Amino acid sequence: MTRLLLRGGRVVDPAARRDGIADLLVENGRLSRIGERLDAASADVVDASGKLVFPGFIDLHVHLREPGFEYKESILSGAQAAAAGGFSAVCAMANTDPVNDHRTVTRWIADRAREAGFSRVYPIGAITKGMRGEELSEFGEMKEAGAVAVSDDGRWVANGSVMRRALEYATLFDLPVATHAEDESLSGRGAMNEGRVSTRLGLSAQPAEAESIAVARDLTLCELAGGRLHVCHVSTARSVALIREAKARGVRVTCEVTPHHLFLTDEEVARSGFSTATKVNPPLRGERDVAALHEALLDGTIDALATDHAPHHADEKAVDYESAPFGLVGLETAASLFHDRLVRTGRVPVARMVELFSGGPARAFSLPGGGLVEGKDADFTVFDPAAEVEVDPRAFRSRARNTPFAGARLTGAVAATYVAGREVYRRP
């Protein structure tokens, strides 16, 4: 029997209403006991004094690029980056090549993830075949192969009839339908947020309404068809207001927010000198939208913090702003950014951070984890709230470096990540 004793950390687990100094005893990969001064006989002892101990973080929204785009990221490098960011589990979007719209691809991703080790990887199947928005994929077969949700992320299912059938069909398998809410007839895939800054910079732009109108339609369809709707990377004040109202009516909707939409505005495009690392979709919004996201973070409207980790090769981003692909990497910076800017400053309680990084995501997609439960897999994250770090993309485990936070000095860092009691990351 293998035994690990994590000694004397501050264990914060809102699901169990636990916040205090305790030991964690792990036996054969499972959390055996949580308590004070546990017996350390024959156990490997790890001193966690001064550290925070959380249920393992779960990211509902990452792009691991494999199969098809391994030059950007692989399942192995993505899982390593996830572990370094404190995520014991991530959900991989379907926009690979081939698209994950068939059980064969789903099973291949799940198998590759198991071979890689490091963080758990849960595949997300495509809503429609080829993500073309026309014909539904076989949800049941993909779930049987390991899919935990369906999404055409990167594309909105513009055909309302198809989206309605997707929500109805998904209820048969209790799968959440995750929507990339963007009406492209309005957005035109503009390079940045439409407003004063885009006018000043002369860049193509997409209005906030391109998102909120799509959110309104999908909420309406969810209310009509039933099912579980998850709104990806919500970014506008109107969107969060619509989701808040829908939740109050009993609509089964959850949503996520990204660190970059919480901590950057569209002014960052100018401030950074048109750095293509700031080009994301949905785009960085204005101050009013950012303020609304912070309010929704606190009042419980937002269920999860997700990174929308979107790696690109340096050559792809080394072009003019209009031509560059959308996306930035976030797995290895999310926890430090959130802690430094919201928890350390007293704006968000540490327990709420745990909810957004662990409990909320687990509930949204009905995933294992989200709490520290005796007898269950020992997935947990050890966080050092006093560590001083500087974001250095050269040190990323990810193959990509496209982050707008390079050089940021932050307080708080992931110290270690454990999956089934096995240490998959330790901060050097």
Side-chain angles (χ1 to χ4, degrees):
M1 174 184 287
T2 61
R3 301 183 90 220
L4 168 73
L5 183 71
L6 194 75
R7 176 79 84 188
R10 177 186 166 193
V11 180
V12 183
D13 179 9
R17 298 185 178 182
R18 182 188 297 276
D19 186 347
I21 304 298
D23 301 341
L24 265 61
L25 180 62
V26 178
E27 295 178 307
N28 290 337
R30 296 197 176 251
L31 188 57
S32 177
R33 286 192 61 196
I34 305 174
E36 298 180 15
R37 292 183 287 279
L38 298 181
D39 177 18
S42 73
D44 294 328
V45 179
V46 176
D47 181 11
S49 56
K51 308 293 195 303
L52 299 166
V53 182
F54 303 140
F57 295 161
I58 300 169
D59 191 338
L60 299 179
H61 190 155
V62 303
H63 299 270
L64 297 187
R65 305 303 195 194
E66 187 179 5
F69 305 101
E70 292 83 353
Y71 68 96
K72 299 172 187 261
E73 192 79 284
S74 67
I75 291 172
L76 172 60
S77 64
Q80 289 174 322
F87 293 96
S88 59
V90 297
C91 300
M93 282 295 178
N95 57 341
T96 50
D97 183 16
V99 169
N100 182 15
D101 60 1
H102 189 274
R103 62 182 173 187
T104 304
V105 183
T106 309
R107 185 171 294 122
W108 186 87
I109 293 171
D111 289 345
R112 287 282 292 167
R114 275 191 291 273
E115 292 167 9
F118 297 94
S119 299
R120 303 176 193 273
V121 175
Y122 298 116
I124 294 177
I127 297 173
T128 61
K129 293 182 179 177
M131 295 177 59
R132 290 186 290 272
E134 298 167 355
E135 185 181 357
L136 294 182
S137 306
E138 294 292 343
F139 293 0
E141 292 183 1
M142 291 192 296
K143 179 171 182 178
E144 189 178 304
V148 297
V150 290
S151 179
D152 280 2
D153 182 58
R155 298 177 185 172
W156 187 50
V157 179
N159 186 314
S161 180
V162 173
M163 187 62 171
R164 175 184 178 177
R165 291 203 304 275
L167 286 159
E168 292 170 342
Y169 187 37
T171 61
L172 298 177
F173 312 102
D174 196 26
L175 283 170
V177 179
T179 181
H180 172 104
E182 177 194 358
D183 185 337
E184 289 188 40
S185 68
L186 283 170
S187 74
R189 293 252 140 172
M192 67 174 298
N193 182 52
E194 182 179 287
R196 179 172 48 82
V197 181
S198 66
T199 301
R200 191 174 83 232
L201 299 180
L203 290 173
S204 65
Q206 46 181 293
E209 287 75 11
E211 176 180 301
S212 59
I213 286 171
V215 169
R217 190 212 67 173
D218 287 343
L219 288 169
T220 303
L221 287 177
C222 186
E223 206 161 3
L224 172 68
R228 297 159 58 193
L229 180 71
H230 179 78
V231 182
C232 297
H233 41 49
V234 63
S235 72
T236 78
R238 182 60 182 151
S239 295
V240 291
L242 288 165
I243 293 167
R244 186 181 291 116
E245 292 163 10
K247 285 188 170 189
R249 292 196 305 276
V251 179
R252 297 180 71 194
V253 58
T254 54
C255 68
E256 65 188 35
V257 68
T258 72
H260 46 280
H261 288 115
L262 283 175
F263 303 129
L264 300 174
T265 70
D266 51 3
E267 287 283 1
E268 187 66 18
V269 180
R271 194 201 65 77
S272 68
F274 295 87
S275 167
T276 55
T278 66
K279 184 177 177 182
V280 288
N281 195 23
L284 302 176
R285 302 294 188 184
E287 290 182 1
R288 176 175 162 272
D289 290 311
V290 171
L293 294 180
H294 283 253
E295 181 182 348
L297 200 70
L298 289 170
D299 72 12
T301 301
I302 291 172
D303 302 89
L305 193 295
T307 64
D308 191 7
H309 177 82
H312 290 290
H313 192 276
D315 290 347
E316 294 174 310
K317 281 287 197 177
V319 295
D320 66 278
Y321 203 87
E322 293 276 4
S323 305
F326 294 104
L328 58 79
V329 291
L331 281 170
E332 294 170 78
T333 55
S336 291
L337 281 165
F338 195 96
H339 179 270
D340 180 79
R341 301 188 177 183
L342 295 180
V343 177
R344 183 182 63 83
T345 56
R347 298 168 66 188
V348 173
V350 68
R352 182 64 179 139
M353 176 180 174
V354 180
E355 267 291 287
L356 290 161
F357 276 78
S358 184
R363 287 193 296 275
F365 281 12
S366 303
L367 300 175
L372 296 169
V373 181
E374 293 178 352
K376 299 292 185 181
D377 281 340
D379 292 5
F380 53 90
T381 302
V382 183
F383 192 86
D384 184 349
E388 302 281 342
V389 296
E390 178 176 338
V391 176
D392 180 3
R394 295 170 302 178
F396 285 172
R397 272 69 174 174
S398 171
R399 290 183 176 175
R401 307 284 181 264
N402 46 307
T403 172
F405 297 106
R409 299 190 68 82
L410 307 169
T411 300
V414 172
T417 306
Y418 290 80
V419 175
R422 185 171 67 91
E423 183 182 283
V424 293
Y425 170 76
R426 175 160 291 279
R427 184 167 174 259

